[in-house]
Amino acid sequence: MKVSVSTAGSRGDFEPYVALTQALISAGHEVTFAAPRDARRLVAGTDAKFIEMDLEVREVLRSEEGQQWLAAGNVEAYLGGITKMLSDARHTIGTSVLAAADGADILVTGVNTEDYALAVSQARGTPIVLGHLTPWLLTDEFPQPLTPQVVPADQSAEQYNLGTHQVAEDVYWQGKRDDINEFRGSLGLPPAPSAALTWTVELGLPTLQAFSEEVVPRPHDWGRGTS
């Protein structure tokens, strides 16, 4: 089987996918891996074909602007900064995800590339699996990981928890909506109604949660396609 793996971000975002890639190759599969330059040395330790995005996340985060995002201390500033970085690199991300998907039997994608990979999946009819390294899917059982974890006294826990997921995703989507829909248009697809993170739940697409249920017990409101 030919597997396309795509992800973007810092080492914590792509290293688990390198481990997955090595396991897939050891099982006899052929893997093409699309990621920023930061991942090249790690991917070189496997037999995967590497497609490099013209982006080096470490350089961005070490810049003065990147340090301001990290030091801001609020989810809007952080997500806004990350979204700007991804928006600036939108053409190389889209091109790389598309190239990695060429001839693939299945697409595996991380959070920062999933909107692009979902578009490719829909345009080409290729099955897709989304991979989450932290619990991003909406739930009323706990807050979104990047938001304050203490529930305000004037809100129920369920109301607050759902709200944090929705706010974080709205901020993220507002910053990249035009980029994603431009990419979708280039593939002959209609605009997306929302970010892949919420849309894939409605579509019932499989989502791999890459953390133990001993750490984060499975929420009652995650669908059957989430494992």
Side-chain angles (χ1 to χ4, degrees):
M1 179 181 290
K2 294 184 178 181
V3 183
S4 167
V5 177
S6 59
T7 185
S10 60
R11 181 164 180 159
D13 293 295
F14 61 73
E15 186 167 2
Y17 290 97
V18 177
L20 173 63
T21 293
Q22 183 57 54
L24 289 169
I25 292 172
S26 297
H29 302 294
E30 181 181 335
V31 181
T32 300
F33 196 111
R37 281 191 295 272
D38 309 66
R40 175 173 286 280
R41 292 182 63 184
L42 278 182
V43 178
T46 74
D47 289 326
K49 176 183 177 182
F50 183 61
I51 295 181
E52 181 180 289
M53 297 175 188
D54 186 18
L55 170 66
E56 189 153 358
V57 176
R58 286 173 297 181
E59 288 185 358
V60 176
L61 294 181
R62 289 171 180 169
S63 69
E64 182 177 351
E65 187 176 20
Q67 289 296 301
Q68 290 175 353
W69 304 340
L70 295 173
N74 66 78
V75 66
E76 288 87 356
Y78 176 76
L79 287 178
I82 295 300
T83 301
K84 180 181 183 302
M85 176 185 71
L86 297 175
S87 181
D88 290 344
R90 62 190 180 278
H91 296 302
T92 187
I93 293 173
T95 299
S96 299
V97 170
L98 191 60
D102 191 34
D105 298 303
I106 190 167
L107 312 179
V108 180
T109 181
V111 169
N112 290 330
T113 52
E114 64 184 11
D115 291 281
Y116 293 94
L118 178 58
V120 175
S121 170
Q122 292 176 323
R124 296 186 173 179
T126 308
I128 186 172
V129 176
L130 286 78
H132 294 170
L133 307 178
T134 52
W136 294 117
L137 291 178
L138 275 72
T139 178
D140 63 14
E141 289 195 9
F142 49 78
Q144 206 276 348
L146 295 177
T147 63
Q149 302 295 292
V150 178
V151 179
D154 61 345
Q155 294 185 44
S156 69
E158 292 81 5
Q159 178 187 23
Y160 176 75
N161 293 341
L162 270 178
T164 61
H165 286 274
Q166 291 165 346
V167 167
E169 191 58 19
D170 286 346
V171 171
Y172 193 51
W173 180 237
Q174 287 171 12
K176 66 177 182 177
R177 177 179 54 212
D178 292 344
D179 299 337
I180 299 304
N181 285 333
E182 177 185 359
F183 180 71
R184 291 178 62 84
S186 72
L187 299 178
L189 296 171
S194 64
L197 184 61
T198 52
W199 196 20
T200 49
V201 175
E202 298 172 8
L203 293 174
L205 297 178
T207 305
L208 174 63
Q209 306 293 327
F211 44 85
S212 171
E213 289 192 6
E214 297 299 320
V215 178
V216 181
R218 183 186 180 87
H220 72 93
D221 47 1
W222 281 3
R224 292 183 179 180
T226 303
S227 61

